[in-house]
């Protein structure tokens, strides 16, 4: 495991950029014009934010950062290109819109949100390559410090690797105890692609799991902290979301304990639980709406 002692530490991406070790997830943090939660997260100490054009939180995040007077260089900002924005020209346009929403002139990380624009889409290989070509240009122009993907399976990544000049630095996937996507994680780590965890605490569906509760109690932490720490010990970047100051702070307090080997093995091989039902190839148990 990479040595991590605080939120200021991070993982080095395959292009040398440092990706801080814990980010704040902004999906469903800003209803209407409410920047309260985002400003609270900044007050709680978060400087690394994970947003996406699809979330509708970019502009509220930009506003919160401005109002709180946080210098741009202290921040690590990730956003994502939505399914309807894929394609060479569309990507360039969507990126400019994202910058405008955030009120910044560069991103730290820009990701393709999903490999396919819709379930069963046949021409995804060409669409992904065209989209990636635009991402590479944004990267070369210095408008984004690193580029990557989200919800890509190994064969989606291979399509890019076979055709790209800049390798993806990141793959952001659903990852938590009970759904660790071992095959994809192993592939990415072998390829030097950093894995980031969305829904690292299973969107709170894991909080009452008996084994996790027992384990968390032994370490004197909450189940959420156990899940966040689990990701870190797997060299995976957790992006927890919370709307309460106490839990925002708790989710950063994950450097004072270490999960033992037997527990790590148990967490990595427990029965599937808490899966969102979303799968990159579609055919999910629920429709792939996010
Ligand atoms: P999550 O972070 O696993 O779970 C959030 C839920 O856990 C909220 O209901 C929150 O409640 C609760 N919670 C947080 N900390 C807690 C604690 N310490 N104790 C008890 N409950 C706690 O799920 P998520 O929001 O789905 O995922 C996180 C981020 O990943 C998103 O915000 C987004 O940035 C990203 N994401 C990306 C994708 C993708 O396709 N790339 C998909 C989904 C999500 P409270 O708010 O009440 O604290």
């Amino acid at each position: 495991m990479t040595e991590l002692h605080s939120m200021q530490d991070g993982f080095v991406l395959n292009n040398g950029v440092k990706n801080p070790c814990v980010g704040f997830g902004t999906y469903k943090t800003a209803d209407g014009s409410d920047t309260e939660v985002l400003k609270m997260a900044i007050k709680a100490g978060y400087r690394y934010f994970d947003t996406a054009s699809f979330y509708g939180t970019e502009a509220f995040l930009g506003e919160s950062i401005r109002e709180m007077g946080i210098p741009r260089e202290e921040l690590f900002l990730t956003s994502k290109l939505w399914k309807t924005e894929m394609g060479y020209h569309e990507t360039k346009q969507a990126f400019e819109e994202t910058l405008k929403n955030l009120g910044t002139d560069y991103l730290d990380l820009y990701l393709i949100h999903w490999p396919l624009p819709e379930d069963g889409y046949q021409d995804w290989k060409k669409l992904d390559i065209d989209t990636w070509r635009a991402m590479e240009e944004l990267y070369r122009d210095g408008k984004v410090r690193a580029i990557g993907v989200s919800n890509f399976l190994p064969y989606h990544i291979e399509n890019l690797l076979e055709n790209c000049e800049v390798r993806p630095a990141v793959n952001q996937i659903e990852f938590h105890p009970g759904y660790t996507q071992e095959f994809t994680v192993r592939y990415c780590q072998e390829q030097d692609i950093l894995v980031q965890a969305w829904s690292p605490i299973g969107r709170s569906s894991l909080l009452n799991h008996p084994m996790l509760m027992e384990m968390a109690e032994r370490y004197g932490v909450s189940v959420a902290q156990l899940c966040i720490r689990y990701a870190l010990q797997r060299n995976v970047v957790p992006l927890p979301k919370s709307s309460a100051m106490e839990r925002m702070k708790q989710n950063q307090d994950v450097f004072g304990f270490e999960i033992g080997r037997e527990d790590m093995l148990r967490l990595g091989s427990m029965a599937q639980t808490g899966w969102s039902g979303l799968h990159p190839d579609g055919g999910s148990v629920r429709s792939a709406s996010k």
Side-chain angles (χ1 to χ4, degrees):
M1 177 198 167
T2 302
E3 285 278 313
L4 300 168
H5 303 289
S6 77
M7 297 280 286
Q8 278 68 52
D9 290 334
F11 299 94
V12 179
L13 299 175
N14 60 21
N15 67 350
V17 165
K18 188 172 103 180
N19 188 125
C21 61
V22 181
F24 184 79
T26 70
Y27 182 55
K28 292 192 174 159
T29 49
D31 285 340
S33 65
D34 193 358
T35 52
E36 201 184 315
V37 171
L38 291 164
K39 285 199 271 189
M40 201 192 289
I42 294 171
K43 279 192 198 125
Y46 288 96
R47 295 293 180 269
Y48 168 14
F49 292 91
D50 180 81
T51 184
S53 59
F54 176 73
Y55 301 166
T57 48
E58 289 174 333
F60 299 120
L61 180 57
E63 192 183 326
S64 306
I65 290 166
R66 270 191 308 282
E67 280 182 27
M68 299 289 290
I70 308 297
R72 176 66 183 88
E73 62 275 15
E74 282 184 23
L75 296 159
F76 190 94
L77 300 179
T78 302
S79 195
K80 311 183 198 83
L81 178 88
W82 186 237
K83 296 173 181 180
T84 51
E85 298 166 331
M86 295 171 81
Y88 178 81
H89 295 293
E90 292 84 346
T91 299
K92 293 280 183 91
Q93 210 177 331
F95 181 81
E96 288 307 321
E97 193 61 29
T98 281
L99 287 188
K100 203 165 80 191
N101 285 340
L102 285 164
T104 183
D105 54 4
Y106 72 95
L107 282 188
D108 294 282
L109 180 64
Y110 196 40
L111 308 177
I112 304 179
H113 210 138
W114 288 89
L116 272 64
E118 60 193 51
D119 285 5
Y121 187 83
Q122 295 297 314
D123 211 11
W124 63 269
K125 284 191 175 179
K126 182 177 179 316
L127 185 62
D128 283 6
I129 292 166
D130 287 348
T131 303
W132 192 252
R133 198 158 47 86
M135 307 272 288
E136 288 180 327
E137 285 181 17
L138 294 170
Y139 174 68
R140 281 205 204 88
D141 290 347
K143 292 180 169 176
V144 52
R145 296 173 65 225
I147 50 176
V149 295
S150 175
N151 300 302
F152 273 49
L153 299 173
Y155 79 95
H156 299 125
I157 295 175
E158 294 264 301
N159 174 49
L160 290 187
L161 293 180
E162 282 162 13
N163 294 284
C164 72
E165 286 168 20
V166 181
R167 293 167 65 84
V170 163
N171 188 17
Q172 184 182 118
I173 58 173
E174 180 172 357
F175 176 96
H176 50 73
Y179 194 70
T180 47
Q181 305 207 55
E182 293 304 326
F183 186 76
T184 299
V185 169
R186 192 173 65 238
Y187 173 86
C188 289
Q189 293 185 337
E190 279 170 8
Q191 294 288 336
D192 198 12
I193 295 170
L194 181 73
V195 178
Q196 298 183 342
W198 61 259
S199 295
I201 42 186
R203 237 167 241 179
S204 67
S205 64
L206 305 174
L207 298 177
N208 297 318
H209 189 286
M211 184 181 95
L212 299 184
M213 287 168 74
E214 179 276 322
M215 229 183 250
E217 198 182 333
R218 256 195 291 121
Y219 290 102
V221 297
S222 70
V223 169
Q225 286 170 308
L226 182 81
C227 293
I228 292 166
R229 180 73 200 180
Y230 174 71
L232 291 176
Q233 287 188 218
R234 295 289 311 272
N235 289 329
V236 169
V237 173
L239 304 166
K241 174 255 164 187
S242 177
S243 44
M245 180 58 97
E246 189 199 335
R247 293 191 286 281
M248 287 174 184
K249 285 191 173 158
Q250 190 193 102
N251 294 348
Q252 299 177 68
D253 183 13
V254 290
F255 301 96
F257 71 107
E258 184 164 345
I259 305 171
R261 181 168 164 78
E262 183 182 330
D263 291 330
M264 286 299 289
L265 294 174
R266 286 168 73 196
L267 290 168
S269 53
M270 63 191 274
Q272 180 174 302
T273 184
W275 179 40
S276 66
L278 299 173
H279 191 276
D281 278 339
S284 311
V285 294
R286 285 199 263 128
S287 72
S289 58
K290 42 191 146 359

